[in-house]
Amino acid sequence: MTAVTLQPARRRRKIKIGRHVRVALGVLACAIFLFPILWMVVTSFKDQRDIFTSPPVLFFTPTIEHYVTYLQRPDIQRRLINTVIVAIGSGVLSIIAGSMAGYALARIRLRGAGAIGALILLSRGVPPIALAVPMFLVARSLGITDQHITLILAYCTFLIPYVMWLMRGFFLALPKELEESAMLDGCSRFGAFFKIIVPISLPGIMSTLIFSMILAWEELLFALVLTNRNASTIPVAIQGIAGDTINGANWAALTAVGTITVLPVAVFALLVQKWLIQGLADGATKG
Amino acid sequence: MTTELAIGARAARPRRSGWLADFASRWTFMLPATVILMAVLAYPIFYTIEISFSRFDLATFSAVEWVGWENYRHVLEDYRFWESMKVTLVYLVFALPLQIVLGFGIAFLINAEWRARGLVRALFIIPMVVAPVVAGGVWRMLLDPLWGMMNYVLGLVGIGPLDWFGDPNLAMAAIVIIDTWRWTPFVVLIATAALLALPKDVFEAAEIDGAGWWSTLWHVALPLLVPIIAATFIIRWLGAVKMFDIALAATYGGPGGATNVVNLFIYEEAFRSLRFAESAAMAVVVLVITMVLTAIFLRGSRKLEELY
């Protein structure tokens, strides 16, 4: 109301000040959200004495002692390798199966495809705990508990629907003429898909793949239920460290292993942030 | 060379088998996903339902005899189950609206035209990609009553020290804070994308009409955003009803079950107490409730879209 009566120049200045306030608040919000990560990384370089001080010490001699200790532990090494194997395996498997199905839902007229699509959307609401019990029993009777493939397949339960729905959105956005002309030129449907559609959707496929691998990287429930030693993943180790209430939590281990877990994912996510944000936005608005 | 062969083969093929091949190739795209999802999603659900109606024999580790609704009766009479449902409800009621409001609010703030906008948006990704167990553990450290950073800062303004994990209400607050910390950035990113996609001329018209920042937000942007807000709510709802790892890493359901969300309770019943039949019945109850509520929300969001 007052804005109307202001002189144009003053009004512009008022808007400008308002903008500065907004930007400052935005930066503050971002800083608050990043603080816990920063604190974790900083703590991981403190020695045991500096960790347990109040008020917290801000200046200290950094040490890489915790990293050396925990990276040398065979169980941590084993679990890091397992996590990489399972994340790549389930990411790749679900991106292949999921994009093909997403393409079918977007482009090919199939009787019953609409119903399948609805079922898959619904399946995103299935609580994993409802699957974990029978999966454990089946894996046990088949003798495949504690193996990578079991975990990879288990992760497909939430990754394939995710990929399928996201990729369906990407494919819907492509012009139909692309594969139609390729098929007129004698390409088979598969040929058109793999030679034309896949290459031009590569940014979408990459962002979906990376986000799928992140989801697999941090999954806890299935890993806890289906593995114990051989195929156990890093979230299981961290949950053990964090939940160790009897001895008091081991903050050195928590922050060092936590940083090791977060670092590759954060770097990865920042490198492809443009695609990732686009993928997330599409997933939300089209899913 | 292969393409040439394919052309030749297609030309020589009689029409009927061409149709068949086409039909097969169409369905082949659905095949891998369908087969895997049948094996790892559909079959376990049916198996859960079967176990929930059976007596589970721990010696053979299998469902042995049909007992009808008995497991369900046990579950519905178990006050601990209802407690965990209540805990889940409280968590959802606080966490979901908080994340949506904060997320869209921050998106409005960082949406101004300025140079580092891209960088800030990129940095907002980080909390989201932090594994929930790491988040739970790190916040456990930050909220520690003796050495935690949070209590130190609160102490500077004369509050505390607060025993975050010893007090039932504070423990729930801690869970909500951790979850909100982790998921608000997700809402921020969605909201930012949605804001950028809004038609610019509407805002220019509002500015010419002399509408202030607040009334533009309230009367112009918000109504346009309703479908996105509804969609974001549904996505967050689907994620939040499954919450398990943060509670496990931060509070382990405590103190005294104050943060024992239903997923954690079912997990404990199945894999600690080895009550597979009852936990299967609980899982089915949760599954049905989730599905019904999701269907209602989906319907509601469509209604909302029609409204505007």
Side-chain angles (χ1 to χ4, degrees), chain B residues 219-237:
Chain B
H219 296 292
V220 184
L222 217 53
L224 285 170
L225 284 173
V226 161
I228 300 287
I229 295 175
T232 314
F233 174 80
I234 289 170
I235 292 195
R236 273 311 299 135
W237 149 260

Side-chain angles (χ1 to χ4, degrees), chain A residues 32-165:
Chain A
I32 291 173
F33 275 90
L34 288 179
F35 178 77
I37 308 289
L38 185 73
W39 197 251
M40 172 180 76
V41 177
V42 168
T43 307
S44 71
F45 290 108
K46 289 180 174 175
D47 64 32
Q48 204 73 23
R49 200 193 48 224
D50 285 337
I51 290 177
F52 293 99
T53 5
S54 190
V57 271
L58 287 178
F59 301 99
F60 57 92
T61 333
T63 166
I64 55 162
E65 175 199 328
H66 308 313
Y67 288 92
V68 175
T69 315
Y70 293 104
L71 275 175
Q72 274 177 347
R73 264 176 46 180
D75 58 325
I76 298 287
Q77 285 174 2
R78 178 83 227 148
R79 281 173 160 155
L80 275 171
I81 296 166
N82 287 341
T83 316
V84 172
I85 295 172
V86 172
I88 292 178
S90 58
V92 170
L93 182 60
S94 56
I95 202 89
I96 294 172
S99 342
M100 283 173 71
Y103 178 75
L105 284 179
R107 275 290 200 272
I108 308 175
R109 250 192 258 139
L110 292 173
R111 200 168 292 166
I116 294 176
L119 270 179
I120 286 160
L121 184 63
L122 214 62
S123 77
R124 283 172 67 169
V126 174
I129 190 74
L131 304 170
V133 175
M135 264 184 201
F136 169 72
L137 298 174
V138 171
R140 198 175 175 277
S141 67
L142 291 175
I144 53 164
T145 51
D146 209 12
Q147 284 182 21
H148 297 118
I149 186 68
T150 318
L151 216 47
I152 289 173
L153 285 172
Y155 288 177
C156 282
T157 52
F158 56 89
L159 290 182
I160 289 182
Y162 172 81
V163 171
M164 208 160 150
W165 211 255

